[in-house]
């Protein structure tokens, strides 16, 4: 299995499939690159080179106790892209990964990034405040931290339900999908899982969005129960220079089912423009 070592000594697992224009995928919390398996195949079949990594502390990467902030995540992504000497790159991020690719494109990816895609992404900032009343209250975020410490195994099972919209009438989320969320969650270092909550919720990325000078496709479901769309996609589109927003009716935070099918088609169409 391929790994590379960052300048601060973390070993990052990644998968690299295919040839052609590179697409680099950044996963959400508390998952791993396994969350992108369907996209890896679809984009590979479409003729692209597809790379996906496990963020530090997640999946098969080093269970390091430090560096769980958006800037370090983006620096690690930059080091991976430089390690593979990728150019004309399309970076795609879901949830926390959306914050990672936005910061990467804004601060580290000049001259390498061709396009950016985010889905259910956390920018510009998730935390509720006087200036961001649509955001997530700090009490809810503290509740996540409490549950991660108290019984993370049960919490991943519980979280998978709203993550994929399984608490909505008529939505049938398979046990396999929920258990795969649990499986990936259980691979996260506890320190990484805990500290990443602050990274994904309290990092102000308004300036990152303003700095992106390449086309960006911003996608989000209007029934996202994890990242409030009014604080995320609908604000992000107002800050970027060359943005396209698509809201998916009834879609959850998790990428699966009909939402996944439509989103993947839209991403391929956006890349091909």
């Amino acid at each position: 299995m391929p790994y590379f070592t960052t300048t601060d000594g973390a070993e990052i697992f990644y998968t690299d499939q295919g040839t052609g224009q590179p697409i680099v995928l950044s996963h959400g919390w508390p998952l791993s690159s396994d969350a992108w398996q369907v996209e890896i195949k679809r984009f590979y079949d479409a003729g692209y080179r597809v790379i996906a990594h496990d963020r530090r502390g997640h999946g098969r990467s080093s269970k390091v106790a430090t560096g769980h902030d958006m800037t370090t995540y983006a620096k690690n992504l930059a080091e991976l892209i430089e390690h593979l000497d990728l150019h004309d790159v399309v970076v795609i991020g879901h949830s926390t990964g959306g914050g990672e690719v936005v910061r990467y494109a804004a601060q580290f990816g000049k001259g390498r990034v061709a396009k950016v895609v985010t889905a259910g992404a956390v920018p510009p900032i998730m935390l509720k405040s006087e200036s961001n009343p649509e955001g997530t209250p700090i009490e809810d975020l503290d509740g996540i931290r409490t549950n991660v410490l108290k019984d993370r195994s049960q919490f991943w099972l519980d979280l998978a339900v709203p993550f994929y919209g399984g608490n909505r009438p008529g939505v049938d989320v398979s046990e396999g999908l929920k258990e795969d969320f649990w499986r990936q969650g259980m691979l996260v270092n506890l320190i990484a899982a805990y500290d990443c909550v602050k990274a994904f919720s309290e990092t102000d990325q308004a300036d990152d969005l303003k700095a992106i000078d390449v086309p960006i496709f911003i996608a989000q479901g209007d029934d996202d129960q994890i990242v409030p769309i009014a604080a995320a996609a609908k604000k992000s589109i107002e800050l970027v220079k060359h943005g396209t927003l698509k809201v998916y009716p009834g879609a959850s935070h998790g990428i699966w089912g009909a939402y996944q099918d439509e989103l993947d088609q839209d991403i391929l169409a956006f890349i091909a423009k």
Side-chain angles (χ1 to χ4, degrees):
M1 294 187 294
Y3 286 84
F4 87 100
T5 303
T6 66
T7 52
D8 69 347
E11 290 191 333
I12 303 296
F13 169 86
Y14 67 95
T15 179
D16 184 356
Q17 308 290 331
T19 59
Q21 183 180 10
I23 297 173
V24 178
L25 300 158
S26 292
H27 62 82
W29 176 93
L31 304 174
S32 71
S33 58
D34 287 352
W36 291 116
Q37 285 297 312
V38 172
E39 285 69 31
I40 291 169
K41 173 170 172 47
R42 287 176 173 172
F43 299 162
Y44 168 85
D45 287 347
Y48 294 95
R49 179 180 178 183
V50 191
I51 299 101
H53 68 293
D54 292 355
R55 186 171 299 114
R56 63 191 295 129
H58 295 66
R60 289 141 291 200
S61 292
S62 294
K63 301 300 187 281
V64 291
T66 58
H68 299 293
D69 59 85
M70 202 62 76
T71 297
T72 303
Y73 294 159
K75 283 181 179 177
N76 290 169
L77 180 60
E79 291 178 18
L80 171 61
I81 288 171
E82 291 161 11
H83 171 74
L84 297 174
D85 194 24
L86 305 178
H87 297 270
D88 196 29
V89 181
V90 178
V91 288
I92 301 176
H94 172 238
S95 195
T96 300
E100 181 179 295
V101 301
V102 163
R103 177 141 296 182
Y104 166 73
Q107 299 189 18
F108 303 100
K110 300 292 185 181
R112 289 186 183 266
V113 176
K115 292 182 179 180
V116 179
V117 178
T118 65
V122 294
I125 188 167
M126 189 173 165
L127 179 65
K128 182 178 181 177
S129 64
E130 288 187 7
S131 61
N132 188 39
E134 304 89 353
T136 302
I138 189 65
E139 294 80 8
D140 292 355
L141 297 162
D142 287 342
I144 292 172
R145 282 182 275 254
T146 296
N147 282 307
V148 166
L149 285 177
K150 180 181 178 181
D151 185 351
R152 69 189 186 282
S153 182
Q154 185 60 50
F155 181 59
W156 300 140
L157 290 173
D158 294 341
L159 182 60
V161 177
F163 191 94
Y164 295 111
N167 54 348
R168 299 308 197 204
V171 177
D172 184 17
V173 179
S174 72
E175 287 302 312
L177 186 59
K178 290 183 282 189
E179 289 177 10
D180 193 47
F181 183 95
W182 174 88
R183 177 189 66 84
Q184 292 181 61
M186 289 303 291
L187 292 174
V188 181
N189 182 33
L190 183 59
I191 295 172
Y194 189 95
D195 289 354
C196 188
V197 176
K198 183 178 179 67
F200 72 61
S201 64
E202 298 184 38
T203 305
D204 189 341
Q205 296 193 258
D207 287 344
D208 291 336
L209 290 163
K210 293 174 185 177
I212 293 175
D213 58 5
V214 297
I216 178 170
F217 179 67
I218 299 169
Q220 191 163 8
D222 70 358
D223 194 32
D224 190 326
Q225 299 176 62
I226 307 301
V227 176
I229 189 171
K234 290 186 176 180
K235 286 192 175 180
S236 292
I237 194 61
E238 300 297 325
L239 297 172
V240 296
K241 298 182 182 75
H242 309 292
T244 300
L245 170 66
K246 182 166 180 180
V247 176
Y248 294 78
S252 64
H253 185 66
I255 301 171
W256 72 289
Y259 170 40
Q260 184 171 40
D261 295 342
E262 186 176 358
L263 175 62
D264 290 352
Q265 291 175 2
D266 290 340
I267 289 172
L268 288 171
F270 173 71
I271 295 172
K273 285 181 182 178

